[in-house]
Structures are given as C-alpha cells and as structure tokens.
Amino acid sequence: MNEDDDLGALCAGAGRSLAEAERPVLERHGLSMWQYVVLSALAHEAAPSQLVLAQQIHYDKTRLIALLDGLEAAGLVGREPDPGDRRARTVRLTPEGIRRHAEVQAAIRVVEDRKLAGLTPEARRVLRSALAHLANSG
C-alpha cells in the first residue's frame, strides 16, 4: 500500500495491522477486541441503556447482551435498571473495569508507539485528529 491508495483501503489496511498487533495484548489481559471496545466506550461515560451502547459502538444489539454478560461475570461492568425506564438497563464500568481498561489501554499505547515510531509527535497528532474526524463524520 502507498499513500496514493483510496482512504478506505488505507484505513482497512491500517486497521488490520493494528488489530493484529493489539490481539496479543488483549489476549494477555483476557479480553476480546469487542470487549475492549465496550470498556473503552464506557470509560468515557456510562451508557444510559444497552441499546444506546450498541448504537455507540456500532454493534448488533442482540449480540451485545452476551458480550455484556461475560464482562459482568468478570466483574468489569455493572448493569442496573434505569429508574426512569425499568425496561432499560444502564451500563457502567466497575472499579475493576476502570483498572483493567487503563492497564490494557497503556499496553496498547506501547504497541501504537512502536507502529508510529517513524512519525513526529506532530504527525501523530494530525493522524489521530484526521482519523477522529473520519470516524465521526456522517
């Protein structure tokens, strides 16, 4: 691949490369990529419902329940009925979930630093900014 390739191809290639490099980190911490995605989303703020969480992370809401069941069994997330809507369940990180997420995130940053070793700090900032823009654009 080179920088003249379409953005979709570049992003797909970069995503595969990063996922392959991060997989061993996640395995050492007993997490799948999707479990880490959930922890990362909840690290920003609790989700007001499981449905909202599924929408935030672009994950099938019917499959999310099993994912959350596993995270809850591991003591990483908690689910509570929403006082305003008893059918909805808020989802938040437990103290152990906060600790595990921070630990895994720090290990992933080491992997990222190795992957980005040839870029200046400014180039890294621009890359992160551009990727965030693409991820958040409609």
Side-chain angles (χ1 to χ4, degrees), residues 10 30 44 52 58 76 92 95 109 113:
L10 289 170
H44 296 289
V52 168
H58 306 285
L76 302 176
R92 69 182 74 256
R109 294 291 191 225
D113 284 345

Side-chain angles (χ1 to χ4, degrees), residues 48-122:
S49 72
Q50 294 171 155
L51 176 60
V52 168
L53 177 60
Q55 292 168 340
Q56 286 173 340
I57 66 171
H58 306 285
Y59 195 72
D60 183 337
K61 65 183 178 193
T62 61
R63 294 178 56 211
L64 181 65
I65 302 305
L67 194 62
L68 291 175
D69 287 346
L71 289 169
E72 190 170 37
L76 302 176
V77 303
R79 294 181 277 187
E80 303 165 359
D82 182 332
D85 180 357
R86 298 307 250 175
R87 296 168 297 163
R89 296 172 58 97
T90 60
V91 186
R92 69 182 74 256
L93 291 181
T94 63
E96 175 60 17
I98 293 168
R99 186 198 66 74
R100 177 90 61 92
H101 176 263
E103 187 177 276
V104 175
Q105 186 177 47
I108 284 177
R109 294 291 191 225
V110 171
V111 170
E112 290 174 351
D113 284 345
R114 277 197 309 261
K115 296 292 256 178
L116 300 175
L119 298 178
T120 66
E122 176 62 12

